[in-house]
Amino acid sequence: MSAVSDRLPAFPWDKLEPYKKTAAAHPDGIVDLSVGTPVDPVPEPVQKALIAAADSPGYPTVWGTPELRDALTRWVERRLGARGVTHHHVLPVVGSKELVAWLPTQLGLGPGDRVAFPRLAYPTYEVGARLARADHVAYDDPTELDPAGLKLLWLNSPSNPTGRVLSKEELTRIVAWAREHGVLVFSDECYIELGWEADPVSVLHPDVNGGSYDGIVSVHSLSKRSNLAGYRAAFLAGDPAVLGPLLQIRKHGGMMTSAPTQAAVVAALGDDEHVRVQRERYAARRTALRQALLAHGFRIEHSEASLYLWATRDESCWTTVAHLADLGILAAPGDFYGPAGANFVRVALTATDARVQAAVTRLTP
């Protein structure tokens, strides 16, 4: 057992505990802006769909119900501009983190194979490579990587943590390079519906992939757009030659989304109104926090999309975390996402309006 855990880095969030205690000691309580976990209600139509499917005594299928696959294909075409998407182009998964962590293993990668991900990135990309005993490499521009032995290329647009969005031209160039060198592309697009100063584009768009899904898969989650983090609801869309074997592996592994969750996803993807309402909530919180941070002496970089502000005072991220903790505000240190984040903090928009206002008040000079 220890041989597996020994491959993994120390769990970074444990390092934040002393600062969390400091922030919690504030007379008006902590404003936790460190973890991007939704706090707003699950949309009522989604709750109703979950309840209606609660009497589900039998095993669900890994591939999902036909109704779920219909909902996935319709959404991918309607929202992402994809064309010709069939049931064989989609696959539900048990939350996107599970997929990210176990994908290299499920792809059969191992020693000598390489997994690449952005220089500033969600830590689970590296964890997935380590679990598979594969090598890993961080990049600024993936087309500058040595393609020898590179088996999996992670893209992340909009980015966690920076909120950076890759343009259609950048995505097109990267996809063409990956295909030229036989590199499989997985594009983490979990924040694609949360563009503020940019309009994120999917690798599934025909302008990016030329009308072919060969060698590309996109990853989508309902955690942020629909407040369904507690439901563990996500899915893949793209190359059937990749998704087909993954489906078989996941059948053997029993990686099934619960039947009530499948019904909830159908309802969530069929309703755009709750997404609009949630976007408005986040937009207002983003504006308030951004203005307060700037007034407090921070500089904001990127952050044109997603649920975070990537902020710096040009000092060690831990000095900034300590400063904010003294104000009763908890932020995530940038080095959780790679050494390049050493002077930044990630400030999440996922707090109630009242707690965001408390943070704004504390930050205002």
Side-chain angles (χ1 to χ4, degrees):
M1 292 295 293
S2 63
V4 177
S5 61
D6 287 348
R7 298 178 212 162
L8 304 178
F11 190 63
W13 293 95
D14 292 343
K15 294 170 61 178
L16 204 55
E17 282 302 313
Y19 302 91
K20 187 173 184 178
K21 290 180 180 177
T22 297
H26 189 279
D28 188 36
I30 187 173
V31 179
D32 192 343
L33 305 178
S34 62
V35 182
T37 186
V39 297
D40 299 302
V42 172
E44 187 174 347
V46 179
Q47 292 190 48
K48 288 181 176 179
L50 184 85
I51 293 168
D55 186 13
S56 298
Y59 287 112
T61 64
V62 173
W63 202 14
T65 62
E67 293 78 14
L68 174 60
R69 283 176 264 143
D70 282 343
L72 299 181
T73 57
R74 282 195 300 264
W75 184 85
V76 166
E77 292 196 339
R78 175 173 55 84
R79 180 61 184 82
L80 305 182
R83 297 290 179 266
V85 180
T86 72
H87 286 193
H88 294 282
H89 291 88
V90 295
L91 178 64
V93 295
V94 191
S96 57
K97 184 169 186 175
E98 167 262 304
L99 180 280
V100 173
W102 293 107
L103 179 65
T105 298
Q106 292 177 8
L107 291 173
L109 305 189
D113 298 324
R114 288 191 301 149
V115 176
F117 45 79
R119 182 82 56 195
L120 284 164
Y122 184 44
T124 313
Y125 302 136
E126 179 181 334
V127 167
R130 287 175 175 269
L131 286 171
R133 298 180 185 268
D135 297 326
H136 56 85
V137 58
Y139 65 77
D140 294 308
D141 180 347
T143 66
E144 296 177 355
L145 293 169
D146 179 355
L150 182 59
K151 298 297 179 65
L152 174 60
L153 172 61
W154 278 108
L155 304 181
N156 181 208
S157 175
S159 163
N160 174 16
T162 69
R164 182 189 171 201
V165 173
L166 295 175
S167 69
K168 185 183 295 183
E169 292 73 24
E170 288 177 292
L171 288 171
T172 302
R173 177 176 60 86
I174 293 167
V175 167
W177 177 87
R179 284 174 166 167
E180 178 185 352
H181 296 287
V183 178
L184 176 62
V185 173
F186 264 68
S187 180
D188 182 345
E189 301 174 354
C190 290
Y191 297 91
I192 200 163
E193 294 199 277
L194 295 168
W196 311 115
E197 298 164 6
D199 188 13
V201 179
S202 172
V203 294
L204 300 184
H205 196 285
D207 289 353
V208 172
N209 60 45
S212 167
Y213 302 117
D214 291 350
I216 56 173
V217 177
S218 64
V219 182
H220 295 275
S221 168
L222 284 85
S223 293
K224 308 303 194 292
R225 74 181 295 278
S226 299
N227 299 331
L228 296 190
Y231 285 43
R232 310 314 301 135
F235 65 94
L236 309 179
D239 190 347
V242 177
L243 299 188
L246 285 179
L247 172 59
Q248 296 307 314
I249 292 167
R250 296 173 71 83
K251 283 181 178 179
H252 283 289
M255 292 177 161
M256 309 174 250
T257 304
S258 75
T261 296
Q262 293 186 29
V265 171
V266 173
L269 292 181
D271 174 47
D272 290 336
E273 177 61 15
H274 79 270
V275 179
R276 184 192 66 78
V277 170
Q278 190 60 47
R279 275 182 53 87
E280 288 184 354
R281 290 189 185 118
Y282 284 137
R285 293 166 187 166
R286 178 181 183 272
T287 297
L289 283 169
R290 183 184 181 93
Q291 291 174 348
L293 288 166
L294 291 173
H296 198 75
F298 281 87
R299 188 176 75 254
I300 309 295
E301 290 196 1
H302 298 300
S303 307
E304 58 260 31
S306 84
L307 282 182
Y308 312 104
L309 293 169
W310 188 238
T312 182
R313 298 203 308 171
D314 295 309
E315 63 189 8
S316 163
C317 60
W318 290 100
T319 301
T320 306
V321 166
H323 170 73
L324 290 172
D326 287 339
L327 299 175
I329 300 168
L330 191 66
D335 65 4
F336 279 10
Y337 308 95
N343 289 341
F344 286 80
V345 292
R346 193 194 73 169
V347 179
L349 310 180
T350 49
T352 65
D353 293 343
R355 299 318 286 162
V356 166
Q357 185 54 51
V360 168
T361 300
R362 298 174 195 182
L363 289 166
T364 300

